[in-house]
Amino acid sequence: MSDAGVRVLVVDDHPVIRGGVELLAAEDPAITVVGGASTGHEAIKVAQEVATDVILLDLRLPDMPAPELVAQLRRVAPRVKILLFTAFADHGAIDVLIEAGADGCLVKDVTGGDFATAVRRVARGVRVVDPRLTGRHASVTPELLFRVGLTRREYEVLRLAAMGHSNPEIADRLALARNTVKTYLQTAMQKLNARNRVEAIAKAHELRLL
């Protein structure tokens, strides 16, 4: 956090949402919106160019899965706090994203006072999760995996891939051979009808697996 207050970068593909955040921020003189981005790739670029304390990040961007974007933002702007912003109080990706490096999560209909408090707390290093999300983002159930057709191991490999880990990194984390990781990813792609890992991750998001 700077002496001037909390500098916020808003990442959302809807201009109305970005404008709404600016209005919320204007209610607190300690919070300033210093930039905006409508895609993941644009967010990565702006995060490297603009001095920012908190990135307010929409979970559903058109060009990049949220876990992958969080991991990349962590690499290019390690000191910046990442506060997720979602319209879905029952979104299933919160645990994955927190593990990937996010610092908290808010639901988009948050009031101005709660918004300002959350942004200031996250900027100070406090993890903040909207209370409406508490207990709503449990781990993926065996029943859901069974319906989709994935095994638990295929899901674990896909989940780590969505967080931005390479095959060798996944192999190290799960104590598997690299070829085994590759095989799990390939079978997961086949079961999800995906042509590559990016498409598989996107389809897993649609199914609320990530």
Side-chain angles (χ1 to χ4, degrees), residues 20-32:
V21 170
E22 290 181 3
L23 291 175
L24 289 174
E27 296 180 20
D28 190 321
I31 299 174
T32 303

Side-chain angles (χ1 to χ4, degrees), residues 154 157 179-192 194:
E154 288 165 351
V157 168
N179 283 341
T180 303
V181 169
K182 183 178 179 181
T183 298
Y184 279 132
L185 278 174
Q186 287 174 337
T187 55
M189 286 187 281
Q190 290 170 359
K191 291 176 179 180
L192 293 171

Side-chain angles (χ1 to χ4, degrees), residues 103-160:
D103 299 287
C105 186
L106 290 180
V107 178
K108 286 186 177 179
D109 63 357
V110 64
T111 63
D114 289 341
F115 171 82
T117 299
V119 168
R120 282 190 265 106
R121 291 184 70 202
V122 166
R124 293 197 305 269
V126 179
R127 177 166 292 175
V128 175
V129 176
D130 192 303
R132 289 170 291 177
L133 293 165
T134 304
R136 305 285 286 276
H137 50 281
S139 299
V140 172
T141 63
E143 290 78 12
L144 178 55
L145 289 179
F146 177 78
R147 287 204 304 272
V148 175
L150 293 179
T151 66
R152 172 60 63 173
R153 193 57 109 180
E154 288 165 351
Y155 164 71
E156 289 172 347
V157 168
L158 187 61
R159 180 171 172 270
L160 289 171

